[in-house]
Amino acid sequence: MIKKASVFLCVVVLVTSCSRFSKKNIKQGVITYDITYDSVLLKQTDARLLPSELTVKFNNNCTLNTIDALSGAVSISIINNPLKQQFSTLLKVFNKKLYHTENFSDGKYPALYSRIPQVRIIESSESCKFLNYNCIKAMGYFANTPNVHFEIVYTKEIDIQNPNINTPFEMVDGVLLKFHLRINSMEMFLSARSVEHKKVPMSTFDIPDGYAAVDFKTITDLIYMLQQ
């Protein structure tokens, strides 16, 4: 009887340990972020026209970041593929679909980030829990507004190497769960709502059918025109 009880206890410990491990250090899945805005912008703009969610799909260190507006009629995505040493920006505006691909070695940011001021990080040893992940808090600011700080929360318990490569946050060594973006004059506050461990096919990180290639200036100008 004691032996059976011991075996049962070992099984329970093993299962619960696997459950804890499966939530953290996951190699593929989906992170969903809520996007909010300051009250000044909301007084000037119909909130229904603004993106309200960012999704990040990841597998094998590849990521697909997507922001939708107008119920998906307008969509901006960034595919980051370290296996190919390339990133691509995808833009969909109703039935018009465009993309541009750059090599990592070209030293450019994706079009969405190309005109964002560089982010400076004020490191901190302060830790916190966020969505049950062990996280680190830091402060950030844009290089052109050094006196305006914002909070950054990131974790090393989601298994993506160099998760912020080719972004203004590339100095942050961890997956961002709470951060701040400025696109043109639009301030965006992003906070992760969920992290789901699910299968993400590697085909997710290919350019979808129906997208036409354009140059960097064209896709950058179009993206920023949408933000006016």
Side-chain angles (χ1 to χ4, degrees):
M1 188 71 169
I2 294 175
K3 185 180 289 186
K4 287 183 178 179
S6 298
V7 171
F8 176 76
L9 181 59
C10 288
V11 171
V12 170
V13 170
L14 179 61
V15 169
T16 55
S17 295
C18 289
S19 174
R20 286 197 300 272
F21 180 77
S22 67
K23 177 172 176 56
K24 298 180 180 181
N25 300 105
I26 60 176
K27 295 180 181 295
Q28 62 178 320
V30 180
I31 308 173
T32 305
Y33 298 78
D34 290 321
I35 303 176
T36 55
Y37 303 88
D38 61 36
S39 57
V40 175
L41 178 63
L42 292 176
K43 288 179 181 178
Q44 299 170 346
T45 308
D46 187 338
R48 293 172 296 182
L49 302 177
L50 298 172
S52 61
E53 187 175 275
L54 163 70
T55 60
V56 176
K57 297 180 180 179
F58 62 96
N59 186 6
N60 199 20
N61 299 317
C62 297
T63 58
L64 168 65
N65 297 14
T66 302
I67 296 177
D68 291 330
L70 294 176
S71 301
V74 178
S75 175
I76 301 172
S77 298
I78 299 170
I79 298 173
N80 197 64
N81 192 328
L83 304 179
K84 296 180 179 180
Q85 290 289 293
Q86 291 180 332
F87 63 81
S88 300
T89 301
L90 285 70
L91 173 63
K92 183 185 77 170
V93 182
F94 298 101
N95 62 345
K96 191 72 172 178
K97 299 177 180 180
L98 307 171
Y99 81 94
H100 177 76
T101 296
E102 290 277 352
N103 295 319
F104 283 3
S105 58
D106 291 344
K108 291 181 180 177
Y109 282 160
L112 180 64
Y113 303 138
S114 65
R115 297 176 186 173
I116 296 177
Q118 189 173 8
V119 175
R120 311 291 191 191
I121 307 299
I122 304 172
E123 291 290 352
S124 166
S125 58
E126 184 180 357
S127 61
C128 66
K129 285 278 190 179
F130 195 98
L131 294 180
N132 207 33
Y133 285 90
N134 293 311
C135 298
I136 300 170
K137 277 187 180 181
M139 299 301 291
Y141 61 89
F142 294 105
N144 62 347
T145 53
N147 296 321
V148 181
H149 295 176
F150 54 87
E151 185 178 68
I152 297 170
V153 175
Y154 64 96
T155 183
K156 298 185 179 183
E157 294 186 340
I158 298 173
D159 196 358
I160 307 174
Q161 292 181 10
N162 299 319
N164 306 306
I165 190 171
N166 302 314
T167 80
F169 293 89
E170 55 194 355
M171 292 175 61
V172 178
D173 183 22
V175 174
L176 295 165
L177 295 180
K178 187 175 181 181
F179 61 106
H180 181 98
L181 275 180
R182 181 194 297 160
I183 301 177
N184 286 351
S185 59
M186 186 168 66
E187 306 280 344
M188 306 170 70
F189 306 92
L190 295 96
S191 181
R193 183 173 76 239
S194 64
V195 180
E196 300 175 87
H197 183 198
K198 58 171 60 175
K199 289 184 177 180
V200 177
M202 290 304 294
S203 58
T204 301
F205 311 107
D206 296 332
I207 304 297
D209 292 339
Y211 277 76
V214 295
D215 61 48
F216 182 77
K217 185 178 187 305
T218 296
I219 202 161
T220 301
D221 288 347
L222 286 171
I223 286 174
Y224 275 81
M225 185 174 65
L226 290 171
Q227 303 298 330
Q228 298 301 323

